[in-house]
């Protein structure tokens, strides 16, 4: 019997290296930014960004990325994936340069939105190119390497960001992307072959506009309300208007033939439950990561590099346990593994509700590690359930939907939990702020970063302000962490109620494994 000929591209593994680097730069950017938030809030060494502006610096990227993810994939299928990858890298590089030299928080927010446009163009076509250049027998391994690069970015991002901030100005965390992008553009031009889909889907322009407008309006209302109070009409106009536009988006997507988000899939409980599970987890996780950088750097007094190193337990847990979770799913079933993963995630997040100003730092490291183990055992069983609930031809759509939900949920997590953090902090620090002159009191009320800036100008009297701000922030962190843990715990109930058990999964196992090459975990 003749051995089967490998139909993959002769340089497929080198091409995979180019695609992994392209994905790395997109994921790395957000993990680096988490460490830089404290510096960006500093009026001397950063941009003096308020808490709301810091939230927008994260969400402007995430919302544009999520809103354009489907459309960018369709454009790549229609006009050429190599071309779309090159365009995405170029946009990302230019936006990184603009971010590095932003003169105000507003400029940074707009530059980050442009980075989201570049990221949306990069991510979907990298997976499509892998499917095109690899033989089906090697494709699953290639996608596993592609997905594993996310764990690498989680591990090195905070450390790289901390090292850059220790030695250079804050813009270096964005400027580092530029040489990587330039090298990537050259490698793509030389090595990556062009490919197209002979039957590409139609572009859903109306759906894209409705989703982006609705999400931005909703996020604006939540973030502005958290920063300035929910008693103003403009806040509720943003929230209610955003919800109305999103409702119109869902209604429109149900009627058209080529929707950017196939909402009809959510009628299948075995699909809807794991997708909602992914959303709940990343909603809670992004909120926790947002406040943890301020807790470690301000309340505990650690440097950016030390902060990055403290996030290593989370990354190590991800890299150690994520590859093993698929085996656990085969042995115990997606329902059991998901429930345990969610319970551990809730414990890791909820532990922040018991931290104080002087809690031993090893406790923080342990909480990050527990949270990492939990989240490492959520994505694989969730994707397994999504795979087994859809026919083969819908597998790629299922993966794209889960990735979009993850991005949107993360953005809303930063917006909502960030607003809770700001609101509770403002209430708790109110009495200390009232005792200070106008500008100093306003700075203390605005955020813990503002309080530290004001304390520096007050001289010896600043010590009392810092103590009050630390206590107020820790109380606000307790509330935020508690809500995040409750959201994660609600996912356990969802898993028990709707995700199939092991007995129900087994008849679909062969079909699920047959679709694996077309799927990749959200990243």
């Amino acid at each position: 019997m003749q051995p089967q000929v490998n139909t993959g591209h002769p340089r497929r593994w080198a091409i995979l290296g180019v695609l992994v680097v392209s994905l790395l730069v997109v994921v790395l950017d957000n993990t680096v930014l988490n460490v830089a938030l404290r510096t960006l809030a500093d009026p001397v060494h950063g941009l003096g960004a308020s808490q709301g502006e810091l939230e927008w610096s994260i969400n402007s990227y995430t919302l544009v990325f999520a809103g354009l993810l489907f459309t960018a994939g369709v454009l790549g299928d229609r006009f050429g994936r190599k071309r779309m990858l090159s365009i995405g890298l170029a946009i990302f590089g230019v936006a990184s340069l603009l971010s590095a030299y932003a003169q105000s928080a507003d400029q940074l927010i707009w530059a980050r939105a442009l980075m989201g446009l570049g990221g949306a163009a990069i991510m979907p076509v990298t997976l499509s190119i892998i499917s095109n250049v690899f033989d089906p027998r090697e494709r699953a391994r290639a996608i596993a390497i592609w997905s594993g690069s996310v764990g690498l970015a989680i591990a090195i991002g905070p450390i790289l960001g901390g090292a850059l901030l220790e030695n250079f100005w804050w813009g270096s965390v964005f400027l580092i992307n530029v040489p990587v992008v330039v090298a990537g553009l050259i490698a793509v031009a030389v090595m990556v072959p062009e490919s197209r889909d002979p039957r590409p889907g139609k572009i859903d322009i109306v759906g894209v506009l409705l989703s982006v407008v609705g999400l931005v309006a909703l996020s604006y209302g939540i973030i502005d309300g958290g920063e300035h109070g929910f008693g103003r009409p403009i806040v509720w106009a943003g929230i209610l208007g955003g919800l109305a536009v999103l409702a119109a988006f869902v209604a429109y997507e149900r009627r058209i033939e080529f929707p950017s988000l196939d909402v009809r899939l959510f009628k299948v409980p075995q699909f809807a439950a794991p997708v909602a599970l992914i959303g709940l987890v990343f909603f809670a996780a992004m909120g926790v990561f947002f406040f943890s950088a301020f807790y470690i750097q301000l309340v505990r007094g650690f440097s950016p590099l030390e902060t990055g190193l403290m996030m290593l337990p989370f990354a190590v847990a991800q890299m150690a346990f994520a590859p093993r979770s698929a085996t656990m799913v085969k042995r115990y079933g997606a329902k059991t593994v998901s429930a345990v993963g969610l319970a551990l995630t809730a414990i890791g997040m909820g532990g922040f509700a018991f931290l104080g100003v002087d809690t031993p730092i090893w406790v923080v490291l342990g909480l990050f590690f527990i949270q990492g183990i939990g989240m490492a055992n959520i994505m694989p069983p969730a994707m397994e359930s999504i795979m087994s609930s859809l026919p083969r031809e819908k597998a790629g759509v299922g993966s794209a939907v889960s990735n979009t939900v993850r991005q949107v949920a993360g953005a809303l997590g930063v917006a909502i939990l960030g607003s809770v953090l700001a609101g509770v902090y403002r209430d708790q620090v109110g009495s200390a702020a009232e005792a200070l002159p106008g500008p100093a009191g306003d700075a203390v009320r605005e955020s813990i970063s503002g309080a530290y800036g004001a304390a520096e100008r007050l001289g010896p009297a600043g010590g009392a302000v810092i103590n009050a701000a630390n206590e107020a922030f820790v109380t606000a962190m307790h509330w935020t962490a508690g809500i995040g843990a409750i959201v994660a715990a609600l996912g356990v109930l969802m898993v028990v109620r709707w995700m199939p058990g092991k007995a129900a999964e087994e008849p679909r196992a062969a079909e699920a494994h047959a679709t694996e090459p077309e799927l990749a975990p959200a990243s």
Side-chain angles (χ1 to χ4, degrees):
M1 185 176 180
Q2 292 282 345
Q4 288 185 316
V5 177
N6 192 310
T7 59
H9 192 280
R11 293 183 295 182
R12 58 193 178 278
W13 294 107
I15 292 169
L16 177 63
V18 175
L19 300 177
V20 164
V21 171
S22 300
L23 179 65
L24 256 177
V25 75
V26 173
V27 179
L28 198 67
D29 179 72
N30 271 345
T31 57
V32 166
L33 183 61
N34 282 332
V35 180
L37 290 174
R38 158 70 183 101
T39 306
L40 289 172
D42 191 309
V44 177
H45 301 103
L47 296 174
S50 68
Q51 180 161 309
E53 288 168 336
L54 292 174
E55 292 175 35
W56 273 116
S57 70
I58 297 173
N59 284 352
S60 61
Y61 175 90
T62 304
L63 293 175
V64 172
F65 184 100
L68 299 180
L69 190 63
F70 281 92
T71 300
V74 173
L75 289 173
D77 291 342
R78 182 180 295 273
F79 298 112
R81 293 154 183 159
K82 175 180 179 178
R83 178 179 299 174
M84 184 58 63
L85 178 57
S86 298
I87 292 171
L89 284 169
I91 292 173
F92 199 89
V94 171
S96 296
L97 196 62
L98 293 174
S99 297
Y101 291 100
Q103 300 299 304
S104 68
D106 287 341
Q107 289 181 17
L108 177 62
I109 290 167
W110 284 106
R112 290 275 298 161
L114 188 62
M115 290 177 77
L117 174 60
I122 292 169
M123 181 171 281
V125 295
T126 57
L127 190 56
S128 298
I129 292 170
I130 288 174
S131 298
N132 184 63
V133 301
F134 276 90
D135 184 281
R137 291 165 295 175
E138 295 178 325
R139 202 175 295 155
R141 182 183 170 201
I143 289 177
I145 295 172
W146 179 90
S147 303
S149 65
V150 176
L152 180 62
I154 292 173
I156 67 175
I159 299 173
L160 175 63
L164 289 170
L165 291 170
E166 291 274 310
N167 296 284
F168 306 99
W169 99 113
W170 64 265
S172 62
V173 301
F174 299 110
L175 196 61
I176 193 69
N177 295 334
V178 177
V180 179
V181 165
V182 171
L185 283 169
I186 295 171
V188 168
V190 173
M191 300 176 62
V192 177
E194 186 60 281
S195 63
R196 292 176 176 83
D197 188 338
R199 296 189 300 274
K202 293 182 179 179
I203 301 171
D204 177 19
I205 297 176
V206 174
V208 169
L209 290 175
L210 286 174
S211 64
V212 172
V213 170
L215 287 169
V216 169
L218 177 61
S219 299
Y220 171 81
I222 294 169
I223 292 173
D224 194 66
E227 191 171 14
H228 302 294
F230 286 89
R232 297 175 303 134
I234 190 172
V235 170
W236 289 104
I239 294 174
L240 297 178
L243 290 173
V245 173
L246 290 175
F249 165 73
V250 171
Y252 178 78
E253 296 297 285
R254 293 180 64 182
R255 293 199 306 268
I256 63 174
E257 184 180 359
F258 296 100
S260 60
L261 178 64
D262 191 352
V263 295
R264 289 164 290 201
L265 292 175
F266 289 93
K267 292 181 179 179
V268 182
Q270 289 81 6
F271 172 86
V275 170
L277 169 64
I278 291 170
L280 288 174
V281 167
F282 280 94
F283 173 94
M286 288 301 291
V288 171
F289 279 127
F290 181 78
F291 70 66
S292 63
F294 289 94
Y295 172 74
I296 294 171
Q297 290 188 46
L298 285 176
V299 178
R300 305 309 301 269
F302 289 95
S303 70
L305 179 57
E306 291 169 333
T307 302
L309 290 170
M310 284 182 193
M311 293 182 178
L312 261 183
F314 177 86
V316 169
Q318 286 272 305
M319 297 176 72
F321 288 91
R324 294 169 174 79
S325 61
T327 303
M328 302 296 287
V329 170
K330 290 177 185 176
R331 180 175 298 179
Y332 300 108
K335 174 181 283 191
T336 301
V337 175
S338 296
V340 172
L342 275 163
L344 289 172
T345 302
I347 291 170
M349 293 177 180
F352 280 91
F354 299 95
L355 297 181
V357 175
D358 54 1
T359 301
I361 203 64
W362 64 263
V363 176
V364 180
L365 301 179
L367 292 176
F368 276 133
F369 187 70
I370 293 170
Q371 189 176 337
I373 296 174
M375 292 185 67
N377 285 286
I378 291 172
M379 284 302 299
M383 293 305 298
E384 181 79 10
S385 182
I386 291 169
M387 267 196 307
S388 62
S389 67
L390 298 176
R392 181 180 175 85
E393 62 272 15
K394 290 283 189 180
V397 175
S399 180
V401 169
S402 68
N403 194 28
T404 300
V405 169
R406 182 189 81 87
Q407 296 286 347
V408 171
L412 292 177
V414 171
I416 294 174
L417 295 182
S419 294
V420 171
L421 185 77
V424 176
Y425 168 82
R426 192 168 50 244
D427 289 342
Q428 293 293 315
V429 84
S431 58
E434 288 173 3
L436 298 173
D442 293 340
V444 171
R445 266 188 293 267
E446 182 184 279
S447 67
I448 187 172
S449 297
Y452 269 71
E456 289 179 3
R457 297 189 294 271
L458 291 172
V465 172
I466 288 176
N467 290 336
N470 284 345
E471 292 293 342
F473 183 85
V474 167
T475 300
M477 182 180 76
H478 291 168
W479 279 91
T480 307
I483 294 172
I486 290 170
V487 169
L490 287 175
V492 177
L493 301 178
M494 185 178 296
V495 166
V496 172
R497 173 64 180 84
W498 282 295
M499 280 189 74
K502 192 172 190 302
E505 293 165 6
E506 287 173 353
R508 301 293 298 275
E511 179 184 345
H513 293 308
T515 64
E516 275 184 3
E518 299 187 19
L519 285 169
S523 49

